[in-house]
Amino acid sequence: MNIVFVASEAAPFAKTGGLADVAGALPKFIQELGHTVCVFMPFYRQVKQGKEKAADTGKSVTVSIMNRKVTGRIFQSTLPNSKVPVYLIENDAYYDRDELYLDRAKNTDYADNCERFVFFSRAVLEACDALGIRPDVVHCNDWQTGLIPAYIKTLYAQDRAVSRAHTVFTVHNLAYQGVFWHWDMKLTGLDWGLFNWQQIEFYGKLNCLKAGLVFADVINTVSRRYAQEIQTPQLGCGLEGVLQERTEDVSGVVNGIDYTVWNPETDPLIPARYSASDLAGKAACKKALLELQNLPHQKHTPLIGIISRLAAQKGFDILEIALPEIMKLDLQIVLLGTGDRKYHELFEAAAKEYPKSIGVNLTFNNTLAHQIEAGADMFLMPSHYEPCGLNQLYSLRYGTMPVVRATGGLADTIVDCIPRTLANGTATGFVFEKYNPAELFDTIRRALDLYRRPADWAGLVRNGMAQDWSWHRSAREYVELYKKALAKS
Ligand code: ADP
C-alpha cells in the first residue's frame, strides 16, 4: 500500500506532545512491513532551526484561500534512522513563529489557526499531485488534518492524485477539536451545504475534528479503552453522538514505543546505562538526578517522577489537593512540565515549601525527561483522561513503576499490583479507579509499601521491564486498519 501520513507535528522535527512521537515512529514501522510511506508536516521555525537537514524539492503548491492564492514550497527530509521521506510544507507567514499553535504573548491559540491548517491540509493534497504521489490511504491525525477526509470526498473528488485515496483518521485527544466561527467556512473553500449538524457544523461553529470523524473511512484512537470512553457523555466532548453513529468504524490501537530512542541499555542522554539484569546504572542515574535537582540523596527514599503538560486533564487538580498529605510521606518528587499558569504557581510554591523533597522544572526538556525516566523509582500519571499516554510505557522500560489512574491507555497498559498479579508476574504498576485525591493518596501509599519490600519491588521492576510495547505490534494493527479503509466503497 502507498500510505501518506499527515500530522501537525513529528519528532524529532517539532513536538508538543504524544502525536509527535507517533508521527516520528509509526511510519518507519509501516515501511518495515513492506509498504510505501511518507510523512507530511508544516515547515515550522523549530524544524528550520533543528538538527535535521531539509532540502528544497524545487516544487511548490498553490492553494486558494478566499480570493487569495497562497503558495508554499515543499522541502524534504527523512525520519532519522529510516528511509521514510518527510515532506515539509513551507509558508513562513504561517509557520515561522515561536510556537506551533499558541501565541505566547497572548497565551491563547494563534488567531489564524484555522487558516494555517486549512492551508496545510490542502497543500498536502496539492503536494501529492506535485510530487507524483498516488496514495491508497491518507492517514490523518487530530483536528489540524480533520478537513482532509472532507476534501478528498468533495473538492478533490476528481483530483488525479488523491481522488482514489481512502482515509483513516486517528484522534490523539478528542478535547482539542479545532472549533472556529462559522465565517471560517469561507477559508476552507468547502461548500456551505456541508455546514449542517450531521457534517461539519457544531453548535453554530466549524469543527475540524468533527469533519474528520464524519468523512474518514475509518476512525481510530490510541487505545481500546479510550475508543469506548469517547462514545460516552463523560468523555465524548459533545461528539459522542457522532462517534456512536459510527461505532462500527471506531477502533483503538495503543501507541508503540520507539525503543531505539527510549531504552536504558542504549540511551545516550542518561548518565549510566542499565538493563533488567543489572540495575546498578539505574541507582547511578537516581543519584545523578538528585544531585542535578539539588535534592539530598537518601538511599531508601523513593523518588517519584512526573513529566507532563501541566493541565487539569493530567490529574493536577486532584494532585493539588492531595499534595500536603503526600508530602508527609517518605518520598521525593521530580517534576518536569509546562502548561497552565495556575500549576506553574502551585509547583513553584511547593518547591519553596519542600526544598528537600521536590525538584521542579517548568520547562520543556527532552534530555531531562530521559534522565527522570531513568532516575526515578516511580512515575505518576493520575490523569482524568488519557487517550494513550506514552510516559507510562517509557517508565516500564526504564524500570520506573507507573502509578496511574485507570483511564484510556493507562487502563489498557498497566496491570495493578495486588497479591495475585504480583504472584503470577503480571503486575506492572499501581492503578486506581476513582478520580479523587483520596484514591490517589492511597495508591501512592500502596506503592511506597511495596517499595519497602525490596524483593517484591525487584520482581515488579522485572515484570515492567520485560513488557514489549514496541511499534511492531501496533504497526500491524494499523496495517489492518488501512485494509479496512481500503475495503470501504
Ligand atoms: P500528551 O500528548 O497528552 O501531552 P503523552 O503522554 O501522550 O501526553 O505524550 C507526552 C510526550 O511529551 C511524552 O513523550 C513526554 O515525555 C513529553 N513531554 C511532556 N512534557 C514534557 C516536558 N516538559 N519536557 C520534555 N518532554 C515532555
Side-chain angles (χ1 to χ4, degrees):
M1 286 180 278
N2 190 342
I3 314 293
V4 165
F5 192 96
V6 194
S8 58
E9 53 184 88
F13 298 92
K15 166 168 164 172
T16 68
L19 166 62
D21 294 281
V22 176
L26 173 61
K28 296 193 231 176
F29 292 85
I30 301 288
Q31 189 180 59
E32 268 181 26
L33 291 174
H35 303 283
T36 303
V37 61
C38 66
V39 177
F40 277 93
M41 67 179 286
F43 202 4
Y44 299 110
R45 179 184 298 172
Q46 290 78 351
V47 187
K48 291 193 169 183
Q49 293 177 344
K51 279 199 236 111
E52 311 310 316
K53 290 203 175 55
D56 192 340
T57 61
K59 304 257 166 50
S60 62
V61 289
T62 302
V63 171
S64 298
I65 295 195
M66 314 260 278
N67 50 8
R68 286 173 293 129
K69 298 260 182 254
V70 184
T71 59
R73 294 184 77 79
I74 310 169
F75 284 71
Q76 181 174 356
S77 186
T78 350
L79 285 184
N81 311 316
S82 81
K83 295 199 172 66
V84 177
V86 178
Y87 295 110
L88 301 153
I89 305 290
E90 184 188 52
N91 181 301
D92 285 346
Y94 291 143
Y95 308 126
D96 186 15
R97 300 188 186 180
D98 289 339
E99 301 278 340
L100 269 49
Y101 318 116
L102 282 182
D103 189 332
R104 217 188 276 161
K106 300 194 188 122
N107 204 24
T108 54
D109 289 344
Y110 289 124
D112 59 350
N113 268 354
C114 185
E115 183 174 330
R116 295 170 78 222
F117 289 102
V118 161
F119 173 76
F120 174 62
S121 298
R122 293 192 61 177
V124 169
L125 300 178
E126 299 289 341
C128 285
D129 191 28
L131 297 166
I133 299 170
R134 301 282 180 271
D136 296 305
V137 175
V138 179
H139 184 167
C140 306
N141 296 275
D142 280 354
W143 75 262
Q144 292 88 346
T145 60
L147 292 173
I148 290 178
Y151 283 130
I152 289 178
K153 293 224 165 95
T154 58
L155 274 187
Y156 288 78
Q158 309 300 328
D159 184 82
R160 63 180 167 175
V162 299
S163 61
R164 283 177 39 257
H166 295 247
T167 48
V168 171
F169 184 54
T170 297
V171 178
H172 298 258
N173 191 333
L174 192 74
Y176 299 88
Q177 299 183 355
V179 175
F180 303 99
W181 76 325
H182 59 290
W183 287 116
D184 278 355
M185 267 302 281
K186 291 180 130 191
L187 299 172
T188 67
L190 290 165
D191 193 291
W192 274 103
L194 302 180
F195 195 73
N196 66 75
W197 69 276
Q198 286 178 308
Q199 293 181 298
I200 59 185
E201 183 262 355
F202 185 69
Y203 297 100
K205 296 191 169 165
L206 162 66
N207 184 324
C208 296
L209 188 101
K210 183 174 174 184
L213 298 180
V214 170
F215 285 95
D217 292 308
V218 167
I219 301 166
N220 174 53
T221 179
V222 286
S223 67
R224 273 200 188 102
R225 176 75 73 104
Y226 192 60
Q228 292 159 2
E229 287 170 342
I230 57 177
Q231 297 182 50
T232 68
Q234 288 75 29
L235 290 179
C237 303
L239 290 172
E240 59 275 11
V242 181
L243 286 154
Q244 285 160 14
E245 189 85 7
R246 299 209 55 195
T247 191
E248 296 296 312
D249 297 322
V250 180
S251 42
V253 180
V254 170
N255 291 333
I257 294 305
D258 191 345
Y259 286 126
T260 63
V261 177
W262 295 95
N263 179 355
E265 295 181 41
T266 53
D267 192 336
L269 301 177
I270 60 178
R273 270 142 295 280
Y274 60 92
S275 65
S277 58
D278 181 4
L279 288 166
K282 184 161 178 67
C285 288
K286 178 173 179 180
K287 191 156 175 281
L289 178 61
L290 288 167
E291 265 164 31
L292 185 72
Q293 297 290 304
N294 274 326
L295 295 174
H297 184 223
Q298 291 143 347
K299 198 155 176 261
H300 300 290
T301 301
L303 178 61
I304 299 184
I306 301 174
I307 304 167
S308 182
R309 280 187 294 115
L310 301 182
Q313 177 214 326
K314 300 290 183 178
F316 290 107
D317 48 357
I318 57 170
L319 183 59
E320 177 174 12
I321 298 168
L323 198 62
E325 287 303 309
I326 291 173
M327 296 317 296
K328 290 181 190 158
L329 300 170
D330 177 28
L331 53 76
Q332 291 173 304
I333 295 178
V334 174
L335 172 131
L336 168 63
T338 57
D340 295 356
R341 194 163 295 160
K342 163 176 166 187
Y343 297 120
H344 282 230
E345 285 163 11
L346 168 73
F347 289 111
E348 271 162 3
K352 284 207 189 93
E353 194 171 347
Y354 312 103
K356 296 198 166 119
S357 309
I358 302 194
V360 172
N361 308 270
L362 301 172
T363 57
F364 196 96
N365 181 335
N366 184 50
T367 303
L368 185 56
H370 283 249
Q371 291 166 349
I372 293 175
E373 285 293 0
D377 298 295
M378 300 163 194
F379 195 89
L380 184 62
M381 290 179 85
S383 304
H384 174 53
Y385 72 92
E386 193 64 72
C388 176
L390 293 171
N391 276 111
Q392 83 278 16
L393 302 178
Y394 304 151
S395 296
L396 288 174
R397 186 43 63 107
Y398 282 73
T400 305
M401 301 333 293
V403 178
V404 305
R405 171 153 179 274
T407 181
L410 298 173
D412 283 358
T413 58
I414 305 300
V415 178
D416 191 24
C417 181
I418 54 174
R420 179 176 52 80
T421 55
L422 186 64
N424 68 18
T426 55
T428 53
F430 302 88
V431 184
F432 63 103
E433 290 285 334
K434 291 210 184 69
Y435 187 71
N436 66 46
E439 287 226 5
L440 166 61
F441 176 79
D442 285 345
T443 310
I444 291 178
R445 213 171 39 188
R446 267 203 298 132
L448 298 194
D449 286 345
L450 197 84
Y451 187 78
R452 283 191 213 98
R453 289 157 36 199
D456 284 340
W457 187 262
L460 186 68
V461 168
R462 263 197 311 276
N463 293 348
M465 293 183 83
Q467 299 290 307
D468 180 6
W469 290 100
S470 70
W471 274 107
H472 294 290
R473 176 188 44 84
S474 309
R476 282 179 206 285
E477 289 186 47
Y478 270 105
V479 168
E480 289 310 310
L481 281 187
Y482 297 155
K483 288 186 188 156
K484 189 171 160 189
L486 278 181
K488 299 268 175 183
S489 55

